[in-house]
Structure formats: structure tokens, C-alpha cells
Amino acid sequence: MSKLFKVFVYGTLKSGQPNHHWFSKDGGYYKFLFNATTLIKYPLIIASQYNIPFLLYSPGHGKNVKGEVYEVDETVLANLDILEDHPNWYERQLEDVYYDNDENKKDKVWVYFIKKFKSELLEKDTFECYDSKGAHGLKYVERYQRSAGDNYKNEIR
Ligand code: PCA
């Protein structure tokens, strides 16, 4: 029996978003559990030339962020960590979220944050709920469409 983990996703990993297929890589186990909202406010921004969503670790700023909680096994968690380059880029940590269908129900789940970032990013618009094709018009640029290198990281850190 593999160990199971609960992960809250708020960005491109959500259902219908450009990186959701990472859940089904390598045949690991994953299951949608519930929609949820962070107990604490955080700034969810869209930044860089590639319009990437980032959840900045700045508790109390921004909005209570809405996302989806999945149960995953070690295979799937390892793949999500590869996508997010945890712990070098996004850092995964346990956070409290409320169930959207029952405000009295809370859970501690894994969330990917950006912890080291340029303070000017805190002045950007913050979102409650991410959609790569939302009214903001900042469509996510997928990895295969980007020019080589990790240059966009200089815009964040
Ligand atoms: N994917 C992760 C973190 C940011 C992103 O685009 C997520 O959806 O939670």
C-alpha cells in the first residue's frame, strides 16, 4: 500500500487547466476529493512573460484562494514536485483549507508556494480563482511554446 497525500491545486493543475494531465502521468493514483478555499489570504498573481500563476507566500495579503483538493499517491506527488521544481522553485507546504461545501470542515493539505520573490510582485492584481483563459486575458504560455531557458525566473526572484 502506497502512502496517500492530499494536495490543493489552485493554478494550472486544476481540472481543465493546461497542466492537469500531470496527475495521470506514469499511472499513479489520484482522485478529486473536494473544492476548497484557503483559510488564510495569499496573493495569487499571474506574472512573467509566460503568464504563469504564482501563489506568493505572503500570508494575509491577497484573497482567500479557491482550488481543488486531490488525493494522490507517492508516484503522482513526485511528478507534481517535478513540474513545480519543489523545493527549488515552488515550495510545497501544509496549509489549512475549508471545504467549499461545508464551512465547518477544514483539512491540512499540501500547497505549492513561491517563497522568494521580488517585493514589487505584491503590487500586482490578485485573483480568487485561477483560469488560464479568464477575463484577465493573460493566457498561460505552455512550456513547449517558450524559448529555451529559465529566464522568466529572473522576473520573479
Ligand atoms: N500549478 C500548481 C502551482 C501553480 C501551478 O500553475 C497548482 O495548480 O497548484
Side-chain angles (χ1 to χ4, degrees):
M1 248 325 251
S2 175
K3 224 182 144 208
L4 296 178
F5 305 84
K6 286 176 186 166
V7 186
F8 171 87
V9 298
Y10 56 83
T12 61
L13 281 168
K14 290 194 299 184
S15 167
Q17 299 298 321
N19 285 319
H20 187 66
H21 59 92
W22 278 76
F23 277 105
S24 51
K25 252 190 170 178
D26 301 329
Y29 163 86
Y30 74 102
K31 185 183 164 207
F32 170 78
L33 293 183
F34 49 86
N35 291 310
T37 305
T38 60
L39 215 90
I40 296 178
K41 291 183 162 78
Y42 291 103
L44 170 57
I45 62 161
I46 300 175
S48 90
Q49 59 192 300
Y50 300 131
N51 297 327
I52 301 173
F54 297 103
L55 192 60
L56 305 178
Y57 193 73
S58 185
H61 293 113
K63 305 196 164 68
N64 300 92
V65 173
K66 296 193 175 295
E68 301 168 352
V69 175
Y70 289 82
E71 182 174 61
V72 303
D73 68 4
E74 283 167 330
T75 302
V76 174
L77 189 67
N79 277 331
L80 302 187
D81 284 349
I82 288 170
L83 172 70
E84 308 305 352
D85 193 15
H86 164 76
N88 305 311
W89 183 236
Y90 290 85
E91 296 180 56
R92 175 165 53 77
Q93 75 173 45
L94 285 168
E95 274 292 316
D96 285 319
V97 295
Y98 286 120
Y99 288 45
D100 284 354
N101 59 6
D102 185 348
E103 283 178 8
N104 300 315
K105 252 170 142 176
K106 281 201 295 188
D107 220 333
K108 263 207 192 310
V109 296
W110 292 102
V111 183
Y112 292 97
F113 285 102
I114 292 290
K115 292 206 156 180
K116 297 177 202 125
F117 55 85
K118 290 188 158 74
S119 58
E120 69 215 41
L121 292 178
L122 289 171
E123 287 155 34
K124 289 183 80 75
D125 285 344
T126 64
F127 297 86
E128 174 184 54
C129 187
Y130 177 76
D131 178 1
S132 71
K133 292 180 182 159
H136 48 70
L138 302 168
K139 195 169 173 290
Y140 181 73
V141 180
E142 299 210 38
R143 291 186 172 191
Y144 68 86
Q145 299 167 311
R146 299 177 194 170
S147 48
D150 277 345
N151 279 338
Y152 74 93
K153 292 187 176 174
N154 305 332
E155 299 176 60
I156 305 303
R157 237 180 220 179

